[in-house]
Amino acid sequence: MFTAINTDSAPPFIHSVEVGSVDPFPALRYCLVSFTARDYHDGLFDEWGIPFPGPLNSAVVKRRAEYLAARYAAQRVLRSFGCDATPGSAPDRSPVWPSGWRGSLSHSHEWALAVVAPEASGLTPGVDIEFLAPEMIQRTAHLFTTPQERECLAASRIDEASALLMTFSAKESLYKALYPDVGRALDFDAASVCHIAPEQQGIALELNRTLSPQRVKGSRIQGYYQLSGNRVITLIA
């Protein structure tokens, strides 16, 4: 799904930086970074020209580090397009993208990911990164899947825990992609996974109810996934 174009680092906080293109969506670019929260300090915001939002004043170091790493990733993608800007943060904590750009952010387990596309591309991306905890994902599967979805996952022949995590992640990506259009948070039953195509790393979801004039019940939305060890990334645009 991802093709790296450039790799580097920004030690000691940022250990690796990977910037590249997104195969299914040529207009999209991504940046994936790994970081260590213990090497975070507030001065990095000024060093990298990233505004420090007021709500972070009461946040723990882990939260500040995640916010900074995700904005750093977004900044790197935008600069690859020639845009010298960084997304801000809305009161609901969703990113506020510079005029003319659309994107999505995610972070988990000291990894952060940003995807960005020009607004003129018509894409509204949603991305999510998760790490596998097999016992937890199987114990909570009933909260975000239906029996019918679990039958679909079993038919894919992907191991159960990974397939469940992909489903959870794909719904997170979908709801991020839909948020600018729908304008509200969605429950996990708003859409169902209806098909997985391992050969194409594809995962399709179907809306279970009408969410907006453009997002009607029965609409199918194609997403993509990348499995790497215990990490899964999903993307919808």
Side-chain angles (χ1 to χ4, degrees):
M1 180 168 66
F2 292 151
T3 299
I5 296 172
N6 181 57
T7 59
D8 55 61
S9 62
F13 176 56
I14 301 289
H15 293 282
S16 67
V17 180
E18 180 182 302
V19 180
S21 58
V22 181
D23 299 337
F25 303 102
L28 269 178
R29 295 181 189 175
Y30 78 94
C31 178
L32 177 66
V33 306
S34 65
F35 63 96
T36 302
R38 69 172 179 269
D39 291 320
Y40 164 87
H41 59 87
D42 288 347
L44 290 170
F45 277 87
D46 286 338
E47 183 177 331
W48 291 335
I50 298 174
F52 187 97
L56 280 189
N57 284 317
S58 58
V60 298
V61 168
K62 177 178 180 292
R63 169 65 185 141
R64 295 183 186 200
E66 290 169 342
Y67 182 97
L68 178 64
R71 262 57 185 189
Y72 177 84
Q75 185 184 72
R76 291 293 302 268
V77 182
L78 286 164
R79 286 183 176 176
S80 78
F81 280 113
C83 174
D84 188 16
T86 304
S89 184
D92 63 2
R93 295 175 57 177
S94 63
V96 177
W97 294 93
S99 178
W101 302 94
R102 293 176 177 175
S104 182
L105 306 174
S106 185
H107 53 74
S108 180
H109 288 65
E110 297 192 330
W111 287 83
L113 176 63
V115 294
V116 181
E119 188 173 5
S121 70
L123 299 175
T124 304
V127 74
D128 186 66
I129 181 171
E130 302 286 346
F131 284 80
L132 188 62
E135 291 184 4
M136 184 185 72
I137 201 72
Q138 289 169 326
R139 186 173 64 250
T140 59
H142 66 284
L143 299 176
F144 60 89
T145 62
T146 63
Q148 291 77 18
E149 284 181 289
R150 292 193 288 276
E151 288 180 8
C152 175
L153 302 184
S156 73
R157 298 189 179 181
I158 298 172
D159 73 271
E160 182 183 24
S162 296
L164 287 169
L165 186 62
M166 283 167 46
T167 299
F168 176 89
S169 182
K171 291 186 179 185
E172 289 286 322
S173 290
L174 176 67
Y175 300 158
K176 288 181 183 181
L178 296 184
Y179 188 81
D181 184 29
V182 176
R184 64 183 187 278
L186 298 171
D187 295 327
F188 285 112
D189 62 357
S192 296
V193 169
C194 56
H195 183 65
I196 296 177
E199 299 82 5
Q200 292 80 39
Q201 295 183 306
I203 181 166
L205 300 99
E206 183 174 312
L207 296 183
N208 293 326
R209 54 180 177 270
T210 295
L211 303 174
S212 75
Q214 294 76 34
R215 306 292 186 179
V216 298
K217 181 179 179 180
S219 297
R220 286 199 174 192
I221 300 171
Q222 180 64 49
Y224 297 88
Y225 68 87
Q226 182 182 80
L227 286 170
S228 178
N230 68 337
R231 185 184 75 198
V232 62
I233 295 172
T234 57
L235 172 66
I236 288 173

